[in-house]
Amino acid sequence: MVRAAGLLAVALLAASHDVEARLVSPPLLLDAPAAPAPPGSPEDRLIEAAHAFDNGQARLALDRVDALIEDEPTFRAAHYLRGRIFGALAGVPAASLMPEHGEALQALAEELDLRIARSHLDDARHMQPSAVLALPDHLRYLLTVDLSAARLYVLENSTEGLRLIADRYAAMGSAGFGKEREGDNRTPLGIYRITEWKDDASLPELYGHGAFPVDYPNDWDRHRRRTGYGIWLHGVPRDTYARVPRSSEGCVTLSNDAMAWLQDYIDIGETRVVLAESLQWATREAVASERTRFQARIDAWRNAWAQRDTDHYLSFYADNFTTEQHARPHFAAHKRAVNAGKSWIEVELRDIAIFDYPGEPGLRLVSFEQEYRSDSYQSVSHKRQYWRLQEDGSWRIEREVELEEREITPTAISAEARP
């Protein structure tokens, strides 16, 4: 009876509406009663209802969206879709139903469109983000967020390459992406680590199930003089299932059930999060080919250093190269003096990660653990290098950051025993 009354009200509204009012979808049909909804996530069910609406199947669309709302009464995008269905039956454009809330409706329309676009991800199951060239073996999972698509992806680091496990809707800052200063309400572009877990009990209701803070600003952000703090992946208040695509002060927000699901894939202090404007997908073979080519460049840099060919070694550094303390001239003078005093040098790199840096065309982040050995000094350090593609097509190091260095006891092997 409730459904019949609702349809009668719509019919009366349509009859009183201007005859020239346009429909906002294909003609809707009062098709046969729908079968029970198949199981699926709330988003899958929303997409199914939206597809039925686009195909003109009014009863199926309404049955599906009503069942979804009964299970998830705070899913505002589902309520918006229901309003569009009734508006189409009445011949009323969705924005005309409540014109005083036009901006809110537009944000919900964007959320619905982005969620529907997710259904075209099947090809990505056999591909990986082209920006991720290499990960250390000990990092089992990687998180990537395509901010323009409002999508978070969990990828598994396998022997065949990165494998897409699952994805979830994720909203960003109210002013979009590309954070530069404190209070600009933008989500940063970059590569970050998850630093801790903050549970529900320790946070205000705004953060819902909990939060994963990341290490913004990282060393590249500081080099770029970006300011701000407190960038998190977090949940949402329980009076809503999800937030519209641009709605936070710069954080990435997910539904509370998505946050609970995500916890299984996080290794605190280790898991990386790539925040990108837009992800490009490529075959694993194409990524492997580019990785091999670029790793040869890294190996050439390492070999030049180990062979104490200082001129060749310094040729890998761009003219505008800097460290946190020095520019290229001071760095070059220091390296010449150190290398000249050595009878042999060995350099070993482990746990290499290689990323195309988000928001910085032609910039590549390389991080690794380095073991340095010579006749007079031995150490282990963690480094990040930022390689820039030059006009001549070569890659050169623009920035180097030593995160930690620990001197160790030199191995007692004579120089004559060295290769």
Side-chain angles (χ1 to χ4, degrees):
M1 289 295 293
V2 173
R3 172 58 57 78
L7 294 177
L8 176 60
V10 169
L12 291 173
L13 178 60
S16 64
H17 193 265
D18 188 332
V19 294
E20 294 183 357
R22 64 181 181 87
L23 294 176
V24 293
S25 73
L28 292 170
L29 306 174
L30 292 179
D31 41 312
S41 70
E43 182 174 67
D44 289 339
R45 295 167 65 186
L46 179 72
I47 292 170
E48 183 194 17
H51 285 328
F53 170 58
D54 288 341
N55 292 331
Q57 298 173 288
R59 186 182 296 275
L60 177 61
L62 286 170
D63 283 350
R64 292 291 189 255
V65 80
D66 282 349
L68 172 57
I69 289 171
E70 183 175 355
D71 293 339
E72 297 288 349
T74 63
F75 199 167
R76 295 175 183 174
H79 287 280
Y80 167 75
L81 176 58
R82 191 173 192 269
R84 282 186 60 177
I85 294 169
F86 278 110
L89 282 169
V92 181
S96 300
L97 297 176
M98 292 187 294
E100 66 272 22
H101 299 297
E103 289 187 6
L105 288 174
Q106 185 176 1
L108 288 169
E110 182 182 10
E111 178 184 341
L112 179 61
D113 289 345
L114 287 167
R115 289 181 181 275
I116 292 172
R118 175 259 176 190
S119 62
H120 301 296
L121 277 175
D122 288 345
D123 289 344
R125 303 290 171 184
H126 309 290
M127 305 175 82
Q128 69 175 75
S130 60
V132 186
L133 273 70
L135 282 180
D137 291 341
H138 72 272
L139 292 182
R140 185 175 179 186
Y141 299 109
L142 173 73
L143 308 185
T144 61
V145 183
D146 186 324
L147 295 168
S148 294
R151 210 82 210 161
L152 177 144
Y153 304 92
V154 175
L155 299 122
E156 184 177 25
N157 185 19
S158 69
T159 55
E160 292 80 24
L162 289 178
R163 183 174 66 88
L164 178 60
I165 292 178
D167 57 279
R168 294 292 187 274
Y169 169 83
M172 64 174 164
S174 60
F177 48 78
K179 188 171 187 62
E180 293 292 336
R181 66 184 186 278
E182 181 178 352
D184 63 8
N185 290 337
R186 293 181 180 273
T187 299
L189 299 175
I191 300 166
Y192 303 97
R193 291 174 187 258
I194 289 178
T195 59
E196 62 178 312
W197 164 249
K198 292 180 177 288
D199 63 21
D200 186 1
S202 65
L203 295 171
E205 174 60 15
L206 173 69
Y207 301 98
H209 179 75
F212 289 110
V214 303
D215 63 342
Y216 175 89
N218 62 21
D219 51 81
W220 185 255
D221 294 317
R222 293 191 296 271
H223 176 56
R224 290 298 203 191
R225 302 186 186 280
R226 294 170 182 147
T227 60
Y229 60 93
I231 300 299
W232 298 358
L233 277 64
H234 65 77
V236 296
R238 288 171 178 81
D239 65 354
T240 184
Y241 179 76
R243 294 172 70 167
V244 293
R246 292 184 296 275
S247 53
S248 76
E249 294 182 357
C251 294
V252 173
T253 64
L254 298 94
S255 65
N256 290 319
D257 58 358
M259 285 298 297
W261 160 83
L262 191 60
Q263 287 180 267
D264 290 340
Y265 301 100
I266 303 297
D267 183 4
I268 300 299
E270 292 290 339
T271 301
R272 269 73 157 187
V273 182
V274 179
L275 300 179
E277 174 184 352
S278 179
L279 290 174
Q280 304 300 315
W281 297 80
T283 64
R284 297 187 183 99
E285 292 77 14
V287 173
S289 176
E290 176 60 18
R291 176 172 60 248
T292 298
R293 188 180 72 85
F294 187 74
Q295 282 182 330
R297 182 71 173 166
I298 299 172
D299 285 340
W301 163 80
R302 181 187 60 80
N303 286 330
W305 189 6
Q307 293 166 10
R308 294 178 295 136
D309 186 348
T310 305
D311 287 340
H312 188 204
Y313 167 75
L314 291 173
S315 73
F316 288 88
Y317 291 85
D319 292 342
N320 63 338
F321 169 77
T322 59
T323 69
E324 291 187 302
Q325 293 82 28
H326 306 296
R328 192 184 192 281
H330 185 279
F331 174 83
H334 172 71
K335 288 296 183 181
R336 288 186 187 279
V338 170
N339 290 355
K342 305 294 185 183
S343 60
W344 57 264
I345 293 173
E346 290 182 348
V347 182
E348 181 181 354
L349 307 183
R350 297 186 289 266
D351 295 339
I352 298 176
I354 307 172
F355 298 91
D356 284 337
Y357 204 84
E360 294 272 358
L363 185 69
R364 202 161 264 179
L365 168 61
V366 181
S367 64
F368 50 84
E369 181 183 81
Q370 171 188 293
E371 184 169 350
Y372 173 91
R373 297 181 294 272
S374 72
D375 51 294
S376 59
Y377 185 74
Q378 185 166 332
S379 68
V380 173
S381 60
H382 294 272
K383 285 186 175 179
R384 288 187 187 140
Q385 293 179 334
Y386 295 87
W387 294 64
R388 179 78 69 178
L389 184 61
Q390 307 297 303
E391 291 185 0
D392 64 3
S394 66
W395 288 90
R396 296 183 185 176
I397 304 166
E398 181 174 293
R399 179 82 171 167
E400 186 171 279
V401 179
E402 190 163 64
L403 303 174
E404 174 189 6
E405 183 176 18
R406 176 172 54 89
E407 183 176 0
I408 58 179
T409 304
T411 304
I413 300 178
S414 68
E416 289 77 12
R418 295 286 162 177

